[in-house]
Amino acid sequence: MASSHWLQIDRTVRFGDTDAAGVMHFHQLLRWCHEAYEESLARYGISAEEIFPRPGQPLAVALPIVHCSADYRHPLVCGDQLRVWLQPERLDPGSFEVRYSLRCDGHDVATGLTRHVAITVETRRRCPLPLAIQRWLEASNLSAAG
């Protein structure tokens, strides 16, 4: 499976993503990053049920975001076509981060970062990453190296 299939997500800036000045509202960037992360997992073959809780279907391990950041380099407006590149990296056996690079018309327009830690839902203590996430990280790392 080509890594670009799950590490490169395209999206369009919509009117509802903009503020009264007609440019992307600042909070949209982290939402787009998380949506790209979710889409990347799905394209890789990891179902939402394996990672995200659902009513009546508790998970053994949660992956809360413990740090996030965003940098804006160029205004985005309704209709802009974006490409979001994901760069996942394991930090240790129980945590990882994803760096996001957003490009529009060949220009870097924004970057984002989310850092996730695995915890057991029952004890709220750190634990190893779920196997599905480990595989996604390993495959992403191999793709970046190759």
Side-chain angles (χ1 to χ4, degrees), residues 23-131:
V23 297
M24 173 195 66
H25 195 261
F26 73 92
H27 78 280
Q28 299 296 350
L29 181 57
L30 288 173
R31 181 175 67 87
W32 293 343
C33 289
H34 201 277
E35 287 175 357
Y37 161 66
E38 293 174 46
E39 180 69 19
S40 177
L41 293 175
R43 288 183 184 185
Y44 184 72
I46 300 172
S47 68
E49 295 84 17
E50 293 179 75
I51 304 301
F52 303 106
R54 292 175 164 244
Q57 298 175 343
L59 297 172
V61 176
L63 298 169
I65 294 174
V66 296
H67 174 77
C68 62
S69 63
D71 291 304
Y72 308 86
R73 292 184 168 73
H74 190 274
L76 295 169
V77 298
C78 182
D80 280 347
Q81 300 295 312
L82 300 178
R83 176 155 290 161
V84 183
W85 291 93
L86 289 82
Q87 301 159 315
E89 179 183 355
R90 182 193 306 240
L91 301 175
D92 60 47
S95 68
F96 68 98
E97 68 183 18
V98 183
R99 294 183 181 278
Y100 308 86
S101 301
L102 286 79
R103 295 181 60 84
C104 179
D105 293 328
H107 301 284
D108 293 324
V109 294
T111 58
L113 178 131
T114 55
R115 189 166 299 132
H116 307 250
V117 173
I119 60 170
T120 60
V121 171
E122 187 175 312
T123 67
R124 307 306 261 183
R125 297 201 185 277
R126 288 189 66 165
C127 66
L129 292 167
L131 186 56

